[in-house]
Each structure stands twice: as C-alpha cells, then as structure tokens.
Amino acid sequence: TEYLLARTVYTNTTQMSIEKEETLIFEIKRNINQKNQKYTDKILFLDNMHTEQYSLCEVLHMTEAKMIQCAIDEGFAAAAIVDTKQIVFDPSFRPYCEENLCGQYGANYSCPPDCGSPEEMKQRILAHKKALVLQTIWQVADYSDVPAIKHAKKSHNASEIRVVKKMREAGHDGLIVGASGCALCTPCAQTQGLPCNFPDLKYSCMSAYCIFVKKLADKCDMEYDCGDGLLAFFGMYVFD
C-alpha cells in the first residue's frame, strides 16, 4: 500500500528519472521489510510468552499448598488459607486494648489508638482477598509467666516474618497480622516522635484488628484451647 501510494503521488506530481524512481521503490520496500520484521519479532515474543506462561507463574507465585508447606517448614503447628470475607470482627474487643495490660496502648504505632479505629483496621484486612492463618503451640506451665509468653510470641512473629518475606519474594504483597503488637523496635519510635523504622514489616495483633480469633480458629480446624500447659498463638498474612 505504501509503495503504490508513493508511486502514484510522485508520478502524478513530477517527472522523475527511472533511476530515481527505482531508488525510491527500494527505500519504500526496505521500510516495509523493517516493519514486517518488527511485527514478526513481536509475534515470536508473544508466542514465547504464551508457551512459557505456566512456568513463569510457577516461578513468580506460590500455590496455596506451597504457602502452607512453607509455614510448616518454618515451624508452625498449623496453617490454613481462608477468604478474608470469612473473618469475623467484633469491635467490642477494642476496650481490652484500652486496658493497656501490655503497656503498648498509645506507645506503639501498631497498637491503638495509633493503628486506627476498629472499622479502619477491618477495612485494611478486607482490602485483600486471602489470609494465610498461622498457629504456634507452646508449652507454658504457668499462664502468668510473662517472660515465657513474651518469648513465645516473639518467636511466633519472627517465624511469621520469615514466611512473609518468602511470599513477598514470590510476588504476594500483603499485610502482616502478628501474635502480639509489633516488637521490632524497643521502644517503638512512636515514643520518640520519630517515623516507623520498618513500615513494611510493622504488624498489629489480632486484638488490634478486633478479630474473633476463636471463630477463625474453628474455621481453620485449629485448636484454640489446647489443654493444660499448652498455649496457642495466632497470626496471619493477608494478600491477594
């Protein structure tokens, strides 16, 4: 088409020598061939992408089974994936945070009131489609043994962060919900009026989100009350 159009224009508007016309035709054909080569390259690229689509997804994304296995490999007693719309929230839990038994109320970016209202926290969870629910079970002889419980929660959260990092490397961005308020910095930078040092890894606990953990555990077929001398902790990673 380009060749015919160019020839018509030049033939009708000017008298050109045979040699000049042949040169023009050569240039037009070369341009057409270059364009055709570009189209061919694009088609080959798309064909290759189609052929390698499955293998590419395998590399960039974990299956749900792999996510659960990753959690088990990191030492979690149980792991399950649920839709976030199945998670039950109860804003009446917020007053328990306000009692400040943990000492973090108003002193930690991940805890109330700084973390947000119950409704704001709920919407952060619902902004994602899936939740990888994680459970650890600990032998605790005395439930009033604060150091032992803090150690268990810290270990749970450390394992959870390792799982999260692997999921993020596989392309699954999301939000961390810990077994306790964030303890990445002691004290939290909030107490000094400084910005959070780890905004991507900061985590609030289930209570701060007003999640009904017992119902979530039941949904995941996990034990909530494990019996005498045993204590279960829960966290999760919500993602798309």
Side-chain angles (χ1 to χ4, degrees), residues 108-111 114-116 121 124 160-161 164 168 174-178 180-185 188 190 195-205 209 237:
N108 192 314
Y109 281 125
S110 72
C111 294
D114 297 86
C115 64
M121 300 292 276
R124 286 175 198 165
E160 185 168 342
I161 287 175
V164 167
R168 287 178 174 175
L175 180 70
I176 307 172
V177 181
S180 68
C182 186
L184 294 175
C185 302
C188 177
Q190 189 266 6
C196 177
N197 292 311
F198 302 100
D200 293 335
L201 293 176
K202 178 183 68 177
Y203 52 86
S204 297
C205 67
Y209 282 97
Y237 183 60

Side-chain angles (χ1 to χ4, degrees), residues 84 122-129 239-240:
T84 55
K122 175 182 177 180
Q123 292 306 318
R124 286 175 198 165
I125 297 292
L126 296 179
H128 300 277
K129 296 178 181 178
F239 62 97
D240 294 313

Side-chain angles (χ1 to χ4, degrees), residues 10-23:
Y10 277 102
T11 301
N12 291 340
T13 58
T14 185
Q15 297 292 325
M16 66 174 65
S17 66
I18 299 292
E19 181 180 279
K20 188 172 182 180
E21 183 177 1
E22 288 178 348
T23 300

Side-chain angles (χ1 to χ4, degrees), residues 111-155:
C111 294
D114 297 86
C115 64
S117 69
E119 181 60 27
E120 289 171 335
M121 300 292 276
K122 175 182 177 180
Q123 292 306 318
R124 286 175 198 165
I125 297 292
L126 296 179
H128 300 277
K129 296 178 181 178
K130 297 285 186 178
L132 173 64
V133 182
L134 303 164
Q135 180 201 47
T136 53
I137 300 176
W138 302 83
Q139 288 186 331
V140 180
D142 184 354
Y143 295 158
S144 64
D145 187 346
V146 175
I149 291 175
K150 282 187 176 181
H151 171 74
K153 289 181 176 180
K154 183 177 180 180
S155 296

